[in-house]
Short mmCIF file of all heavy atoms in Angstrom, two decimals:
data_model
loop_
_atom_site.label_atom_id
_atom_site.label_comp_id
_atom_site.label_asym_id
_atom_site.label_seq_id
_atom_site.Cartn_x
_atom_site.Cartn_y
_atom_site.Cartn_z
N CYS A 1 -1.35 -16.15 24.99
CA CYS A 1 -0.43 -15.02 24.99
C CYS A 1 -1.08 -13.78 25.61
O CYS A 1 -2.28 -13.75 25.87
CB CYS A 1 0.04 -14.71 23.57
SG CYS A 1 -1.16 -13.79 22.56
N THR A 2 -0.26 -12.77 25.83
CA THR A 2 -0.73 -11.44 26.22
C THR A 2 -0.54 -10.52 25.02
O THR A 2 0.57 -10.41 24.49
CB THR A 2 0.06 -10.91 27.42
OG1 THR A 2 -0.16 -11.77 28.54
CG2 THR A 2 -0.36 -9.49 27.78
N ALA A 3 -1.62 -9.89 24.56
CA ALA A 3 -1.56 -9.10 23.33
C ALA A 3 -1.94 -7.65 23.61
O ALA A 3 -3.04 -7.38 24.12
CB ALA A 3 -2.48 -9.69 22.27
N ILE A 4 -1.05 -6.75 23.28
CA ILE A 4 -1.28 -5.32 23.43
C ILE A 4 -1.37 -4.71 22.04
O ILE A 4 -0.45 -4.86 21.22
CB ILE A 4 -0.16 -4.66 24.26
CG1 ILE A 4 -0.19 -5.22 25.68
CG2 ILE A 4 -0.30 -3.14 24.27
CD1 ILE A 4 0.91 -4.68 26.58
N ALA A 5 -2.48 -4.02 21.77
CA ALA A 5 -2.78 -3.51 20.43
C ALA A 5 -2.36 -2.05 20.31
O ALA A 5 -2.78 -1.21 21.11
CB ALA A 5 -4.26 -3.65 20.13
N TYR A 6 -1.56 -1.75 19.31
CA TYR A 6 -1.17 -0.37 19.07
C TYR A 6 -2.38 0.56 19.00
O TYR A 6 -2.36 1.68 19.51
CB TYR A 6 -0.43 -0.25 17.73
CG TYR A 6 0.93 -0.90 17.63
CD1 TYR A 6 1.49 -1.15 16.37
CD2 TYR A 6 1.68 -1.24 18.75
CE1 TYR A 6 2.74 -1.73 16.24
CE2 TYR A 6 2.93 -1.83 18.62
CZ TYR A 6 3.45 -2.07 17.36
OH TYR A 6 4.69 -2.65 17.23
N GLU A 7 -3.44 0.08 18.32
CA GLU A 7 -4.53 1.00 17.96
C GLU A 7 -5.43 1.39 19.13
O GLU A 7 -6.28 2.27 18.96
CB GLU A 7 -5.37 0.41 16.82
CG GLU A 7 -6.29 -0.74 17.20
CD GLU A 7 -5.61 -2.09 17.15
OE1 GLU A 7 -4.37 -2.16 16.96
OE2 GLU A 7 -6.32 -3.10 17.30
N THR A 8 -5.25 0.76 20.31
CA THR A 8 -6.10 1.16 21.43
C THR A 8 -5.31 1.79 22.58
O THR A 8 -5.89 2.15 23.59
CB THR A 8 -6.94 -0.03 21.97
OG1 THR A 8 -6.08 -1.05 22.46
CG2 THR A 8 -7.83 -0.60 20.88
N VAL A 9 -3.99 1.93 22.44
CA VAL A 9 -3.21 2.70 23.41
C VAL A 9 -3.63 4.17 23.30
O VAL A 9 -3.80 4.69 22.20
CB VAL A 9 -1.70 2.55 23.14
CG1 VAL A 9 -0.88 3.46 24.05
CG2 VAL A 9 -1.27 1.09 23.33
N THR A 10 -3.80 4.84 24.44
CA THR A 10 -4.31 6.21 24.44
C THR A 10 -3.24 7.19 24.94
O THR A 10 -2.11 6.81 25.23
CB THR A 10 -5.55 6.31 25.35
OG1 THR A 10 -5.20 5.88 26.68
CG2 THR A 10 -6.69 5.44 24.82
N ASP A 11 -3.62 8.48 25.01
CA ASP A 11 -2.73 9.49 25.59
C ASP A 11 -3.54 10.47 26.44
O ASP A 11 -4.76 10.33 26.56
CB ASP A 11 -1.91 10.22 24.51
CG ASP A 11 -2.77 11.01 23.52
OD1 ASP A 11 -3.94 11.34 23.85
OD2 ASP A 11 -2.28 11.31 22.42
N ASP A 12 -2.87 11.44 27.02
CA ASP A 12 -3.53 12.38 27.93
C ASP A 12 -4.60 13.22 27.26
O ASP A 12 -5.50 13.75 27.92
CB ASP A 12 -2.49 13.32 28.56
CG ASP A 12 -1.61 12.61 29.58
OD1 ASP A 12 -2.07 11.60 30.15
OD2 ASP A 12 -0.46 13.06 29.78
N ASN A 13 -4.52 13.37 25.95
CA ASN A 13 -5.47 14.20 25.21
C ASN A 13 -6.64 13.40 24.63
O ASN A 13 -7.43 13.94 23.86
CB ASN A 13 -4.75 14.94 24.08
CG ASN A 13 -3.63 15.82 24.59
OD1 ASN A 13 -3.82 16.54 25.58
ND2 ASN A 13 -2.47 15.77 23.95
N GLY A 14 -6.69 12.12 24.97
CA GLY A 14 -7.75 11.28 24.42
C GLY A 14 -7.44 10.77 23.04
O GLY A 14 -8.30 10.18 22.37
N GLY A 15 -6.21 10.98 22.58
CA GLY A 15 -5.80 10.53 21.26
C GLY A 15 -5.28 9.11 21.28
O GLY A 15 -5.24 8.44 22.33
N LEU A 16 -4.89 8.63 20.10
CA LEU A 16 -4.37 7.28 19.92
C LEU A 16 -2.97 7.40 19.32
O LEU A 16 -2.79 7.38 18.11
CB LEU A 16 -5.29 6.47 19.00
CG LEU A 16 -6.75 6.37 19.47
CD1 LEU A 16 -7.63 5.79 18.38
CD2 LEU A 16 -6.85 5.52 20.75
N PRO A 17 -1.94 7.53 20.18
CA PRO A 17 -0.62 7.93 19.71
C PRO A 17 0.09 6.91 18.82
O PRO A 17 0.96 7.28 18.04
CB PRO A 17 0.17 8.13 21.01
CG PRO A 17 -0.53 7.27 22.02
CD PRO A 17 -1.98 7.35 21.64
N LEU A 18 -0.29 5.62 18.92
CA LEU A 18 0.34 4.62 18.08
C LEU A 18 -0.43 4.38 16.79
O LEU A 18 0.10 3.79 15.85
CB LEU A 18 0.52 3.30 18.84
CG LEU A 18 1.29 3.41 20.16
CD1 LEU A 18 1.60 2.03 20.71
CD2 LEU A 18 2.55 4.23 19.99
N LEU A 19 -1.66 4.86 16.74
CA LEU A 19 -2.43 4.81 15.50
C LEU A 19 -2.21 6.08 14.68
O LEU A 19 -2.24 6.04 13.45
CB LEU A 19 -3.92 4.64 15.83
CG LEU A 19 -4.85 4.37 14.65
CD1 LEU A 19 -4.49 3.06 13.96
CD2 LEU A 19 -6.30 4.33 15.11
N ALA A 20 -1.97 7.19 15.38
CA ALA A 20 -1.88 8.49 14.70
C ALA A 20 -0.87 8.54 13.55
O ALA A 20 -1.20 9.05 12.47
CB ALA A 20 -1.58 9.59 15.72
N PRO A 21 0.37 8.03 13.70
CA PRO A 21 1.31 8.14 12.59
C PRO A 21 0.83 7.43 11.33
O PRO A 21 1.00 7.94 10.22
CB PRO A 21 2.60 7.49 13.12
CG PRO A 21 2.40 7.21 14.54
CD PRO A 21 0.97 7.39 14.88
N MET A 22 0.21 6.25 11.50
CA MET A 22 -0.29 5.54 10.33
C MET A 22 -1.57 6.17 9.80
O MET A 22 -1.84 6.11 8.61
CB MET A 22 -0.52 4.06 10.66
CG MET A 22 0.75 3.30 11.04
SD MET A 22 2.09 3.35 9.81
CE MET A 22 3.05 4.77 10.36
N SER A 23 -2.33 6.79 10.69
CA SER A 23 -3.51 7.54 10.24
C SER A 23 -3.08 8.74 9.40
O SER A 23 -3.73 9.07 8.39
CB SER A 23 -4.33 8.01 11.44
OG SER A 23 -4.85 6.91 12.15
N GLU A 24 -2.00 9.38 9.81
CA GLU A 24 -1.47 10.50 9.03
C GLU A 24 -1.03 10.03 7.64
O GLU A 24 -1.35 10.67 6.63
CB GLU A 24 -0.29 11.14 9.77
CG GLU A 24 -0.70 11.87 11.03
CD GLU A 24 0.47 12.17 11.96
OE1 GLU A 24 1.59 11.68 11.70
OE2 GLU A 24 0.26 12.89 12.96
N VAL A 25 -0.33 8.91 7.61
CA VAL A 25 0.13 8.37 6.32
C VAL A 25 -1.07 7.97 5.46
O VAL A 25 -1.16 8.34 4.28
CB VAL A 25 1.07 7.17 6.53
CG1 VAL A 25 1.37 6.48 5.19
CG2 VAL A 25 2.37 7.62 7.18
N ALA A 26 -2.01 7.21 6.05
CA ALA A 26 -3.17 6.74 5.28
C ALA A 26 -4.02 7.91 4.80
O ALA A 26 -4.53 7.90 3.67
CB ALA A 26 -4.00 5.79 6.14
N GLY A 27 -4.16 8.93 5.66
CA GLY A 27 -4.93 10.10 5.25
C GLY A 27 -4.31 10.81 4.07
O GLY A 27 -4.99 11.21 3.12
N ARG A 28 -2.99 10.96 4.10
CA ARG A 28 -2.31 11.63 2.99
C ARG A 28 -2.30 10.79 1.72
O ARG A 28 -2.27 11.33 0.61
CB ARG A 28 -0.89 12.00 3.42
CG ARG A 28 -0.87 13.09 4.48
CD ARG A 28 0.53 13.47 4.93
NE ARG A 28 0.45 14.55 5.91
CZ ARG A 28 1.24 15.62 5.91
NH1 ARG A 28 2.18 15.75 5.00
NH2 ARG A 28 1.10 16.55 6.83
N LEU A 29 -2.31 9.46 1.89
CA LEU A 29 -2.34 8.57 0.73
C LEU A 29 -3.72 8.52 0.08
O LEU A 29 -3.83 8.30 -1.13
CB LEU A 29 -1.95 7.15 1.15
CG LEU A 29 -0.49 6.75 1.08
CD1 LEU A 29 -0.32 5.33 1.60
CD2 LEU A 29 0.04 6.83 -0.35
N ALA A 30 -4.78 8.66 0.88
CA ALA A 30 -6.14 8.41 0.39
C ALA A 30 -6.50 9.22 -0.87
O ALA A 30 -6.99 8.64 -1.85
CB ALA A 30 -7.16 8.66 1.49
N PRO A 31 -6.26 10.54 -0.90
CA PRO A 31 -6.57 11.26 -2.13
C PRO A 31 -5.68 10.84 -3.31
O PRO A 31 -6.11 10.85 -4.46
CB PRO A 31 -6.30 12.73 -1.76
CG PRO A 31 -6.33 12.77 -0.28
CD PRO A 31 -5.80 11.44 0.16
N GLN A 32 -4.44 10.44 -2.98
CA GLN A 32 -3.51 10.02 -4.03
C GLN A 32 -4.00 8.74 -4.71
O GLN A 32 -4.07 8.66 -5.94
CB GLN A 32 -2.13 9.80 -3.39
CG GLN A 32 -1.03 9.36 -4.32
CD GLN A 32 0.30 9.27 -3.57
OE1 GLN A 32 0.66 10.15 -2.81
NE2 GLN A 32 1.03 8.19 -3.80
N VAL A 33 -4.37 7.73 -3.89
CA VAL A 33 -4.86 6.48 -4.47
C VAL A 33 -6.26 6.68 -5.06
O VAL A 33 -6.62 6.03 -6.05
CB VAL A 33 -4.84 5.34 -3.45
CG1 VAL A 33 -3.42 5.06 -2.98
CG2 VAL A 33 -5.76 5.61 -2.26
N GLY A 34 -7.04 7.56 -4.45
CA GLY A 34 -8.36 7.85 -5.00
C GLY A 34 -8.26 8.51 -6.35
O GLY A 34 -9.04 8.21 -7.27
N ALA A 35 -7.29 9.42 -6.52
CA ALA A 35 -7.09 10.09 -7.82
C ALA A 35 -6.69 9.07 -8.88
O ALA A 35 -7.13 9.15 -10.04
CB ALA A 35 -6.01 11.16 -7.68
N TRP A 36 -5.86 8.08 -8.48
CA TRP A 36 -5.47 7.02 -9.41
C TRP A 36 -6.68 6.17 -9.79
O TRP A 36 -6.88 5.83 -10.97
CB TRP A 36 -4.39 6.16 -8.75
CG TRP A 36 -3.95 4.98 -9.57
CD1 TRP A 36 -3.03 4.97 -10.58
CD2 TRP A 36 -4.40 3.63 -9.43
NE1 TRP A 36 -2.89 3.69 -11.08
CE2 TRP A 36 -3.72 2.85 -10.39
CE3 TRP A 36 -5.32 3.00 -8.57
CZ2 TRP A 36 -3.93 1.47 -10.53
CZ3 TRP A 36 -5.52 1.63 -8.72
CH2 TRP A 36 -4.83 0.89 -9.68
N THR A 37 -7.53 5.87 -8.81
CA THR A 37 -8.72 5.07 -9.08
C THR A 37 -9.70 5.81 -9.98
O THR A 37 -10.42 5.19 -10.78
CB THR A 37 -9.41 4.68 -7.75
OG1 THR A 37 -8.45 4.06 -6.89
CG2 THR A 37 -10.56 3.72 -7.97
N LEU A 38 -9.73 7.13 -9.86
CA LEU A 38 -10.62 7.95 -10.71
C LEU A 38 -10.22 7.95 -12.18
O LEU A 38 -11.02 8.31 -13.04
CB LEU A 38 -10.66 9.39 -10.20
CG LEU A 38 -11.70 9.76 -9.15
CD1 LEU A 38 -11.53 11.22 -8.73
CD2 LEU A 38 -13.12 9.53 -9.66
N GLN A 39 -8.99 7.55 -12.48
CA GLN A 39 -8.55 7.55 -13.87
C GLN A 39 -9.38 6.55 -14.67
O GLN A 39 -9.71 5.47 -14.20
CB GLN A 39 -7.07 7.22 -13.97
CG GLN A 39 -6.16 8.28 -13.37
CD GLN A 39 -4.71 7.90 -13.41
OE1 GLN A 39 -4.28 7.12 -14.24
NE2 GLN A 39 -3.93 8.45 -12.48
N LYS A 40 -9.71 6.90 -15.89
CA LYS A 40 -10.60 6.09 -16.72
C LYS A 40 -10.06 4.68 -16.93
O LYS A 40 -10.82 3.69 -16.92
CB LYS A 40 -10.82 6.77 -18.07
CG LYS A 40 -11.96 6.18 -18.88
CD LYS A 40 -13.30 6.38 -18.17
CE LYS A 40 -14.45 5.79 -18.99
NZ LYS A 40 -15.74 5.94 -18.28
#
């Protein structure tokens, strides 16, 4: 097959436009799940 990966598509600014939305979600989730994990 021919496989194109979302996470390595780039943009004019050197960013990763197809990874960015999930990075935003994962970044915002990380403290939330971390706070849950910190519970005794």
Side-chain angles (χ1 to χ4, degrees):
C1 78
T2 297
I4 295 178
Y6 292 162
E7 74 274 8
T8 62
V9 174
T10 57
D11 63 21
D12 288 334
N13 301 315
L16 303 169
L18 305 189
L19 188 62
M22 296 304 92
S23 296
E24 291 164 352
V25 171
R28 291 180 178 224
L29 269 177
Q32 180 176 315
V33 298
W36 177 82
T37 307
L38 271 177
Q39 293 177 25
K40 193 65 180 177

